[in-house]
Amino acid sequence: MVFGPLSESFRVLTYDRRGHSRSERPAGQGSVHEDIADLAALVEHLGLAPAHIAGNSFGASIVLGCAAKNPGLFRSLIAHEPPLFSVIDGEPKFRDMLRETKARIGSVIERLKQGDMAGGAEQFVNTVAFGPGAWERLPAVTKETFISNAVTFLDEANDPDALSIDLKGLSKFTRPELISHGDSSPPFFSPIAAGIAKSIPGSTQKTITGAGHVPHLSHPTDYVAMVKGFVQSVRAKGKPGARRR
């Protein structure tokens, strides 16, 4: 929903990360570090660096992890609601919220382990990532994608580093960075976004009014405007611009 509008101004590349949709699903335990390495290798292989790199949800976690390890690949970074619970873990004011969230995730995992991919995907959407009733509002093709990729959530749940970020490494990232969240999202995304923004010098925070965890689906016009506006601001400050068609 945002590819077309963004491609009017930029050269846009999207891909299915390993194990998802049309990408190969390797056997054995995966790792977020593989995902980070895949992103870096793709950008380097296609000769796109330095690039404006954006990610949503776990994709945002991958983009941030890549920025901590490979800052030279970036012209700028745009991340929406990475589920990096390690950023707020250990803070007393978030203890109850995290305990409840982890219990909900555990319930989803148990359902997936029993082979109920459709039920697990719906439960994940309604109780973890989006909110009550969100599943019914999703387009049919999006539901099918969630169900098809549900098995990968089990893999991520068994990865000890999946929900963590190297804040010390990220603090050395000096390129323009925008981290956003929706004001209708589950409450833990806002403090996570704030914690990450605090770690990166000169970062920008943005709240997308009315949006939740997937603004590129629910509020595509607002999301495109945010991305375009941010990149244009980078250009205005004398940074290299995005590649045009």
Side-chain angles (χ1 to χ4, degrees), residues 3 16 20 36 57 67 74 82 90 94 103 118 122 128 172 197 230-231:
F3 184 91
D16 296 323
H20 291 72
I36 291 170
S57 190
F74 290 76
F94 300 126
E122 180 175 353
V128 179
K172 300 176 183 177
F230 178 68
V231 172

Side-chain angles (χ1 to χ4, degrees), residues 8-171:
E8 294 173 2
S9 301
F10 314 116
R11 180 184 181 187
V12 180
L13 169 71
T14 64
Y15 72 101
D16 296 323
R17 60 190 176 95
R18 67 170 65 196
H20 291 72
S21 299
R22 292 177 293 177
S23 287
E24 183 181 359
R25 186 167 292 171
Q29 177 62 46
S31 166
V32 66
H33 300 294
E34 292 175 335
D35 292 323
I36 291 170
D38 287 345
L39 172 58
L42 183 62
V43 172
E44 291 174 339
H45 176 71
L46 295 177
L48 300 176
H52 300 282
I53 304 179
N56 179 83
S57 190
F58 199 81
S61 299
I62 294 168
V63 169
L64 287 162
C66 189
K69 293 184 175 182
N70 306 279
L73 298 180
F74 290 76
R75 281 187 173 132
S76 72
L77 184 160
I78 302 169
H80 183 80
E81 295 191 348
L84 295 168
F85 294 115
S86 67
V87 174
I88 59 175
D89 202 4
E91 296 190 34
K93 61 182 176 180
F94 300 126
R95 186 179 296 126
D96 291 342
M97 180 171 59
L98 281 176
R99 184 186 299 114
E100 180 181 355
T101 300
K102 290 177 180 179
R104 292 178 179 181
I105 292 174
S107 179
V108 172
I109 291 170
E110 288 304 313
R111 195 162 185 175
L112 294 176
K113 284 181 177 179
Q114 295 170 11
D116 184 5
M117 299 301 161
E122 180 175 353
Q123 186 175 339
F124 173 76
V125 167
N126 284 337
T127 68
V128 179
F130 295 77
W135 181 260
E136 292 304 319
R137 298 191 294 271
L138 292 178
V141 65
T142 304
K143 291 180 181 179
E144 291 173 6
T145 300
F146 267 110
I147 294 170
S148 175
N149 293 332
V151 67
T152 64
F153 188 64
L154 285 175
D155 191 70
E156 292 164 11
N158 290 323
D159 177 6
D161 296 329
L163 304 179
S164 301
I165 186 69
D166 175 15
L167 289 179
K168 184 176 180 180
L170 199 58
S171 68

Side-chain angles (χ1 to χ4, degrees), residues 205-218:
Q205 281 190 263
K206 171 73 175 180
T207 301
I208 305 178
T209 303
H213 194 51
V214 285
H216 53 290
L217 295 180
S218 65

